[in-house]
Amino acid sequence: MAPANETPGTKEQVGVDVEAIIIGAGIGGLRALWELRSRGISSKVLEKGSNVGGTWYWNRYPGARTDSESWVYCYSFDKDLLQEWDWKERFPTQSEMQAYLEHVADRHDMRKDITFGVTVTSAIFDENANVWTVTTDAGATYTSRYVVAATGQLGIQHFPVEGVENFKGIAYHSSSWPEEPVSFEGKRVAVIGTGATGIQIIPLVAQEAGSLTVFQRTPNFVMPARNYVLTDTHRAAIKRDYDDVWAKVSEQPFGMAFDPVNRVLGDTEPASRNQVLEAGWEAGGFRYIFETFDDLLTDEECNAAASEFVRNKIRAIVKDPVTAELLCPTDHPVGGKRVPLGHFYYETFNRANVSLVDVNSNPIERFTENGLMTADGELEFDVVIIATGFDAVSGALTHMDVRGRQGLSMKERWADGAESFMGVMVDRFPNFFTILGPQGPFSNNPPVIEHQAEWIGKVITYCEQQGIAAEVSTETVESWYRIAKEAFDSTVLGAGEQAHSWYLGANIPGKAHRILYWFGGSPAYNDMLDRTEEAGFHLIGARQAAPVA
Ligand code: NA7
């Protein structure tokens, strides 16, 4: 073990030994640091960015904001912080999220345990010593007993258009946006991609650009966000009722503070169905999905009604009927892909300076010096925004050289599809934990992160007390995958596969498809994780840990 008098994180030289290395200083890494530190486990965080924030640090594109409501898209572990922090809006902007996470880091004096500006290149397990050796691109090497990969779900960009080096204009992927503001005034701008990111960017850029061309492959069901500024009264009510808010979050399948509706389509008078959907649409955000019908994601008839309702909204909002039809999703059910929130998204297509290109009928071939070559010919642009997503969920760990028993790499382990035990551990990678790993719950992320970090803390404490290493068997991982698949198969979400859903790894050419989330609800997940052994999942690897040098 590290010497008792060593202050974790104060030494920067090569070879510092700590009990846990945490990779990433985003929401997950900061929470893991707090958890381990409060358990007396010395920890060091290695972070690629120059500041905390993770996903929120990198994704600073115009319009970036959360799709979860501010009062639940935050930590619950610090009750004073809940009372102290004043959220400004229903859906906080990237800069508000960044400020919040910086505040958390400062409030808990976390920076002293974080090394910024270093990319972890490898994490290699030594089976004889039960020690991980973590190396960074700065050439530093750290040994640790445990590794917590809080590497986020959206760390590895998908950049599918070739030839950007030939382009004389400006091209940015949404997650490599510069810190200084980018002016679009009078410019010819292209946005490629209409996922949650592109949908946030498009309405803002349209207001400033000379012209905006949107390249769409798969239309999405975009819910109106109906963002608003929080009043003092509203904030005070949230703070007063925070215990209730978190109680609802822990009971709601997707970790939102929504009330149960206890209503299914079949039991609702046909004449009232549209009224219910209209109310959900008006409420904004994910409330259309979770506060209308309980069977919206599980019953085909219900989902078909909810999908058609949205298509009719699109047809009513978008004036040009050809554009409206192009924006109507027809190849997947609502919820079959991650539902994005729009801030006057459909309305934007009524602007004279905005046009929509369907890349299915007119594919993008490559960048040229002056813009993009499409099948129909060259289109000239000053700025091209690449909002084409990520090698989500598993990408961060397959792009890093992570090696467990017998030198097995995570890339090899996941060659046929990424699988883990409940999103927190992978077989043959002892004492290696993931936060938001594959087959964790599809749910509002901060509460999931908190639950997983607590579980990891408990397991590490137990291992320390018993002198053992934590490990899961391949059988356990496989059995969790079967359970996750059963949960998924009971929904209508499978059709997302043909629509390139990143839930399924289907957005990255060549990536093995796997259901990357548990869709059985976070309450059931939390319960099973809390009762790991009773629920029939056995942690193995009761091997005496050798002392760290
Ligand atoms: P997404 O949701 O993966 O969206 C990426 C978008 O880019 C989507 O519309 C894709 O179309 C499109 N895309 C991907 N590859 C291409 C190519 N080759 N040509 C044209 N269009 C392409 O990523 P986001 O960044 O929007 O959102 C990621 C998550 O961030 C989001 O879900 C939230 O959790 C926050 P497709 O649909 O695949 O046909």
Side-chain angles (χ1 to χ4, degrees), residues 154 158 160 193-197 217-218 337-338 387-390 500 502:
L154 308 173
H158 176 45
T194 55
T197 300
R217 188 164 68 181
T218 308
K337 299 187 77 174
R338 160 66 151 78
T388 45
F390 302 89
H500 317 286
W502 61 261

Side-chain angles (χ1 to χ4, degrees), residues 123-392:
I124 312 287
F125 184 62
D126 176 342
E127 294 195 60
N128 296 318
N130 267 1
V131 168
W132 283 92
T133 299
V134 176
T135 304
T136 73
D137 61 347
T141 298
Y142 305 90
T143 53
S144 68
R145 172 84 61 218
Y146 306 96
V147 174
V148 180
T151 37
Q153 302 189 307
L154 308 173
I156 302 293
Q157 299 176 352
H158 176 45
F159 197 115
V161 187
E162 291 189 357
V164 66
E165 64 284 358
N166 303 322
F167 182 48
K168 296 278 189 285
I170 294 171
Y172 296 120
H173 189 280
S174 52
S175 67
S176 322
W177 205 264
E179 297 209 32
E180 60 279 5
V182 176
S183 167
F184 303 105
E185 193 148 355
K187 301 221 166 93
R188 299 163 300 173
V189 183
V191 173
I192 306 176
T194 55
T197 300
I199 279 158
Q200 290 185 335
I201 293 173
I202 287 161
L204 280 188
V205 171
Q207 288 174 31
E208 211 186 313
S211 68
L212 171 64
T213 306
V214 175
F215 289 88
Q216 171 190 273
R217 188 164 68 181
T218 308
N220 261 308
F221 289 96
V222 182
M223 300 296 129
R226 308 214 188 283
N227 186 40
Y228 48 77
V229 171
L230 295 180
T231 60
D232 287 342
T233 317
H234 190 169
R235 262 193 300 268
I238 293 165
K239 289 181 183 184
R240 190 188 58 229
D241 299 336
Y242 241 132
D243 287 345
D244 289 346
V245 168
W246 292 118
K248 280 185 191 175
V249 166
S250 69
E251 284 158 22
Q252 207 274 342
F254 295 88
M256 308 279 174
F258 297 162
D259 290 313
V261 288
N262 299 321
R263 178 174 49 219
V264 292
L265 184 92
D267 294 344
T268 309
E269 286 294 314
S272 312
R273 291 175 183 173
N274 263 20
Q275 226 176 326
V276 170
L277 293 170
E278 187 72 43
W281 179 263
E282 283 307 312
F286 295 130
R287 288 174 188 265
Y288 182 78
I289 307 292
F290 302 123
E291 283 193 337
T292 50
F293 297 110
D294 289 335
D295 54 346
L296 191 145
L297 297 179
T298 50
D299 179 72
E300 280 183 19
E301 191 193 344
C302 180
N303 190 283
S307 298
E308 187 58 14
F309 179 93
V310 178
R311 283 190 286 267
N312 284 334
K313 284 288 179 193
I314 299 169
R315 291 171 184 131
I317 297 169
V318 179
K319 291 186 182 134
D320 173 41
V322 176
T323 305
E325 281 317 307
L326 266 181
L327 289 166
C328 284
T330 50
D331 67 349
H332 66 282
V334 62
K337 299 187 77 174
R338 160 66 151 78
V339 171
L341 300 194
H343 301 258
F344 301 99
Y345 176 69
Y346 291 123
E347 290 81 352
T348 299
F349 290 90
N350 290 331
R351 297 179 63 102
N353 66 337
V354 176
S355 55
L356 183 63
V357 175
D358 171 18
V359 302
N360 299 299
S361 57
N362 184 20
I364 301 168
E365 292 174 353
R366 60 187 153 83
F367 274 95
T368 62
E369 206 175 302
N370 298 314
L372 293 166
M373 183 59 74
T374 71
D376 284 356
E378 188 181 21
L379 295 172
E380 294 193 358
F381 297 108
D382 304 305
V383 183
V384 176
I385 301 174
I386 315 288
T388 45
F390 302 89
D391 183 351

Side-chain angles (χ1 to χ4, degrees), residues 378-442:
E378 188 181 21
L379 295 172
E380 294 193 358
F381 297 108
D382 304 305
V383 183
V384 176
I385 301 174
I386 315 288
T388 45
F390 302 89
D391 183 351
V393 185
S394 56
L397 292 180
T398 52
H399 282 73
M400 196 185 287
D401 190 15
V402 182
R403 289 179 188 271
R405 289 204 183 281
Q406 295 164 330
L408 179 78
S409 72
M410 198 66 85
K411 199 173 173 180
E412 289 160 346
R413 171 64 187 89
W414 286 351
D416 295 330
E419 290 180 355
S420 81
F421 170 61
M422 300 187 84
V424 287
M425 288 190 81
V426 184
D427 54 301
R428 285 173 278 173
F429 293 81
N431 284 351
F432 186 94
F433 300 92
T434 52
I435 290 184
L436 302 183
Q439 294 92 39
F442 187 76

Side-chain angles (χ1 to χ4, degrees), residues 6-237:
E6 180 177 305
T7 313
T10 53
K11 290 184 183 175
E12 297 300 316
Q13 75 267 33
V14 172
V16 170
D17 293 330
V18 289
E19 285 162 291
I21 292 280
I22 298 167
I23 309 174
I27 300 182
L30 296 181
R31 184 60 179 81
L33 176 62
W34 185 86
E35 185 69 33
L36 298 191
R37 217 198 230 179
S38 65
R39 292 170 173 275
I41 297 155
S42 67
S43 308
K44 180 168 195 62
V45 182
L46 301 173
E47 165 57 49
K48 183 174 166 186
S50 61
N51 206 335
V52 299
T55 296
W56 292 106
Y57 170 89
W58 295 105
N59 286 274
R60 55 177 94 92
Y61 58 80
R65 58 171 79 234
T66 72
D67 286 345
S68 292
E69 287 160 341
S70 49
W71 51 93
V72 296
Y73 195 82
C74 56
Y75 296 116
S76 65
F77 73 90
D78 180 344
K79 302 292 176 227
D80 293 337
L81 174 65
L82 288 172
Q83 294 303 319
E84 181 185 300
W85 185 262
D86 285 333
W87 291 109
K88 293 194 187 76
E89 295 181 61
R90 180 183 185 184
F91 300 107
T93 59
Q94 176 272 337
S95 62
E96 193 176 3
M97 280 312 302
Q98 180 64 28
Y100 170 75
L101 292 168
E102 288 182 27
H103 177 76
V104 172
D106 292 334
R107 181 182 163 83
H108 290 283
D109 196 15
M110 289 174 165
R111 291 179 196 270
K112 68 175 193 224
D113 292 338
I114 307 173
T115 300
F116 292 103
V118 289
T119 301
V120 172
T121 51
S122 68
I124 312 287
F125 184 62
D126 176 342
E127 294 195 60
N128 296 318
N130 267 1
V131 168
W132 283 92
T133 299
V134 176
T135 304
T136 73
D137 61 347
T141 298
Y142 305 90
T143 53
S144 68
R145 172 84 61 218
Y146 306 96
V147 174
V148 180
T151 37
Q153 302 189 307
L154 308 173
I156 302 293
Q157 299 176 352
H158 176 45
F159 197 115
V161 187
E162 291 189 357
V164 66
E165 64 284 358
N166 303 322
F167 182 48
K168 296 278 189 285
I170 294 171
Y172 296 120
H173 189 280
S174 52
S175 67
S176 322
W177 205 264
E179 297 209 32
E180 60 279 5
V182 176
S183 167
F184 303 105
E185 193 148 355
K187 301 221 166 93
R188 299 163 300 173
V189 183
V191 173
I192 306 176
T194 55
T197 300
I199 279 158
Q200 290 185 335
I201 293 173
I202 287 161
L204 280 188
V205 171
Q207 288 174 31
E208 211 186 313
S211 68
L212 171 64
T213 306
V214 175
F215 289 88
Q216 171 190 273
R217 188 164 68 181
T218 308
N220 261 308
F221 289 96
V222 182
M223 300 296 129
R226 308 214 188 283
N227 186 40
Y228 48 77
V229 171
L230 295 180
T231 60
D232 287 342
T233 317
H234 190 169
R235 262 193 300 268

